[in-house]
Amino acid sequence: MLNNKSFGINLILFLVLSSTVAQVATQITTPLLPLIDKDFAVNAGLVQRSISAYLLGMALSGIILGYLSDFFGRRRVMLVALFLGCVGTGCCIFAQNVIFLIIGRFIQGIGLSGVWIISRAITRDISVGLQLAKIFSLLTMLDVVIICLSPLLGGVIESHFGWRSVFVVFLIYNLLVMLATLCVKS
């Protein structure tokens, strides 16, 4: 499908994983909100602020991390962003109250926004013209499928293992993207 030999399945897989990680973090946790408010014995509005905190973290960091990746390198900044995503996810896994969960989601948003921005920048760095359009079309299709399936996956995982397990699965996804970032050729 792609003419350039540098676009193998590994690179496409890397781009799909890294470009969806931020959106999956939002969507996979959607079915958990009513369970978290019961677990922490707080009102639903307070738990919903974890989504706002995540989106605020994304809004504050995306441009800055993208800019830093221009100077320090895409891989280096993406790894830092993924590390922040792991820290935030860890905070969510071990949260003992809703405030700690909200802080974890904010940290998650700060890191994962950079991953999404940088994955798009990498795509633009390595392709142009029609090839860029083909890659973005493929990524968009795969992104939509993955993002649409995320709440279903979150609900299934939660129903069998509890709401914290969804964050554990997401942590594994985050670590998988980190491993892919280390392995993909620059």
Side-chain angles (χ1 to χ4, degrees):
M1 182 162 100
L2 301 170
N3 297 331
N4 188 337
K5 287 184 180 180
S6 67
F7 285 101
I9 190 71
N10 292 340
L11 182 59
I12 295 297
L13 183 61
F14 163 72
L15 290 172
V16 168
L17 288 174
S18 61
S19 70
T20 57
V21 71
Q23 290 84 358
V24 170
T26 302
Q27 300 301 322
I28 200 169
T29 59
T30 303
L32 309 178
L33 298 177
L35 303 162
I36 294 171
D37 64 16
K38 286 180 187 171
D39 193 33
F40 288 144
V42 296
N43 69 34
L46 190 55
V47 174
Q48 290 172 0
R49 289 190 182 140
S50 67
I51 294 173
S52 300
Y54 178 81
L55 295 174
L56 178 64
M58 285 188 74
L60 295 175
S61 71
I63 295 171
I64 295 166
L65 291 175
Y67 181 76
L68 290 175
S69 77
D70 289 338
F71 290 101
F72 297 111
R74 307 270 190 239
R75 183 185 313 238
R76 188 174 291 150
V77 177
M78 186 178 274
L79 288 170
V80 169
L82 285 161
F83 177 76
L84 286 172
C86 287
V87 169
T89 304
C91 289
C92 295
I93 292 168
F94 297 107
Q96 295 302 310
N97 59 54
V98 72
I99 301 301
F100 202 52
L101 179 80
I102 291 170
I103 291 168
R105 294 290 283 165
F106 178 74
I107 295 168
Q108 237 186 359
I110 288 172
L112 298 180
S113 174
V115 177
W116 180 76
I117 296 283
I118 295 167
S119 73
R120 296 302 186 180
I122 289 170
T123 306
R124 282 188 281 286
D125 290 346
I126 59 178
S127 60
V128 294
L130 185 58
Q131 186 180 47
L132 179 63
K134 286 180 180 180
I135 294 168
F136 272 138
S137 294
L138 177 64
L139 289 176
T140 301
M141 285 187 314
L142 294 171
D143 287 0
V144 168
V145 170
I146 291 169
I147 291 165
C148 288
L149 292 176
S150 296
L152 176 64
L153 178 63
V156 169
I157 294 167
E158 182 283 321
S159 68
H160 288 84
F161 305 105
W163 69 264
R164 292 178 194 275
S165 62
V166 175
F167 286 105
V168 172
V169 168
F170 184 75
L171 179 63
I172 293 166
Y173 182 45
N174 198 334
L175 291 169
L176 183 64
V177 176
M178 191 177 281
L179 178 64
T181 303
L182 289 168
C183 293
V184 76
K185 291 184 179 181
S186 338

